[in-house]
């Protein structure tokens, strides 16, 4: 759940475009490390720009994001590894919860500024996404298992293999080839490659 603009818009287009939408949890920290990338906000001028841009994008995509410079620094300093392992475990056991869970994590992290590395917050997110307390607890217990850790590593390596260097990364399998698109502002281009019409951020 590193970029909800992409997540939300692709969900809006799921039934408009002829696509089979699949969420693949990958660990951003791992992608950055493997590709030698650094968070854009580490460059102060780019950080300033991104803050302004986030506000514009929130309005354009109609996604509730509230961000101050302090929030930005906090987000950079919070690891999403635990949350991504939780989402991975869910993907392996109950994939039908993947979408609501991803949305909820994103809202808590970016809109409500919660520390999603804490188990109690992860359980609160799961409850909000419609999971039972029993299922949430069972999933939380899975996150330290080698199976889950390895699965997340595999998905992350797969993203890098497709050319990802950050998030959001969308891979469109079209015409027998994978096409990588980076950034939420590339969805119009994605549409043109797969022969679908872009109808704006909120298609009616």
């Amino acid at each position: 759940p590193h970029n909800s603009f992409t997540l939300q818009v692709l969900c809006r287009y799921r039934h408009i475009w002829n696509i089979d939408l699949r969420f693949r949890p990958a660990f951003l920290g791992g992608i950055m490390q493997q590709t030698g990338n650094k968070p854009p906000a580490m460059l102060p001028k780019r950080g300033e720009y991104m803050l302004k841009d986030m506000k514009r994008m929130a309005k354009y995509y109609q996604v509730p994001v509230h961000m101050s410079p302090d929030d930005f620094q906090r987000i950079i300093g919070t690891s999403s590894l635990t949350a991504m392992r939780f989402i991975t475990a869910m993907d392996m056991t109950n994939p039908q919860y993947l979408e609501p869970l991803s949305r909820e994590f994103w809202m808590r992290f970016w809109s409500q500024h919660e520390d999603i590395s804490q188990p109690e917050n992860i359980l609160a997110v799961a409850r909000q996404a419609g999971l039972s307390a029993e299922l949430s607890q069972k999933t939380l217990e899975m996150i330290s298992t080698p199976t889950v850790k390895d699965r997340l590593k595999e998905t992350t390596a797969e993203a890098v293999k497709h050319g990802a260097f950050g998030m959001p990364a969308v891979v469109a399998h079209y015409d027998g080839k994978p096409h990588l698109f980076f950034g939420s502002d590339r969805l119009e281009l994605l549409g043109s490659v797969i022969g679908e019409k872009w109808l704006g951020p909120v298609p009616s």
Side-chain angles (χ1 to χ4, degrees):
H2 295 288
N3 194 305
S4 190
F5 299 126
T6 306
L7 174 76
Q8 305 276 14
V9 175
L10 283 176
C11 287
R12 290 168 190 167
Y13 273 88
R14 169 188 267 150
H15 302 298
I16 296 172
W17 287 355
N18 182 27
I19 54 172
D20 173 17
L21 183 60
R22 296 188 187 183
F23 298 101
R24 303 295 308 277
F27 178 47
L28 178 60
I31 291 175
M32 302 289 259
Q33 194 179 11
Q34 288 173 47
T35 58
N37 197 357
K38 288 188 169 54
M42 282 179 79
L43 186 68
K45 278 289 170 203
R46 189 160 179 200
E48 275 173 40
Y49 170 80
M50 279 180 75
L51 263 177
K52 290 175 188 159
D53 212 37
M54 280 292 255
K55 285 178 187 161
R56 291 189 291 229
M57 285 169 79
K59 195 174 171 188
Y60 177 68
Y61 287 111
Q62 294 184 28
V63 176
V65 182
H66 316 286
M67 187 88 52
S68 73
D70 292 347
D71 296 326
F72 224 40
Q73 289 311 313
R74 182 191 49 79
I75 282 163
I76 291 167
T78 302
S79 173
S80 63
L81 183 58
T82 313
M84 293 317 294
R85 281 182 181 157
F86 187 87
I87 290 172
T88 300
M90 190 53 66
D91 186 28
M92 294 168 81
T93 55
N94 294 272
Q96 71 273 24
Y97 286 115
L98 205 55
E99 189 184 319
L101 200 56
S102 299
R103 284 175 186 266
E104 196 55 42
F105 264 120
W106 196 90
M107 287 299 293
R108 297 277 178 139
F109 192 50
W110 289 96
S111 259
Q112 292 154 27
H113 311 142
E114 275 184 25
D115 183 355
I116 57 163
S117 62
Q118 298 307 311
E120 63 273 19
N121 288 346
I122 287 174
L123 290 174
V125 166
R127 193 171 56 241
Q128 197 66 38
L131 278 74
S132 69
E134 189 189 2
L135 179 58
S136 306
Q137 194 56 49
K138 212 160 81 177
T139 309
L140 192 62
E141 283 159 17
M142 283 178 71
I143 66 174
S144 52
T145 64
T147 322
V148 169
K149 288 179 179 178
D150 289 347
R151 171 71 171 263
L152 183 57
K153 278 180 195 160
E154 280 161 25
T155 321
T156 303
E158 197 184 334
V160 172
K161 191 187 83 186
H162 280 308
F165 50 86
M167 287 286 181
V170 177
V171 179
H173 297 273
Y174 182 74
D175 238 0
K177 290 196 299 279
H179 304 261
L180 175 85
F181 295 89
F182 173 75
S184 48
D185 58 345
R186 286 294 176 267
L187 297 174
E188 189 171 348
L189 200 55
L190 164 65
S192 85
V193 166
I194 63 171
E196 295 284 353
K197 195 168 165 52
W198 172 249
L199 304 167
V202 191
S204 52

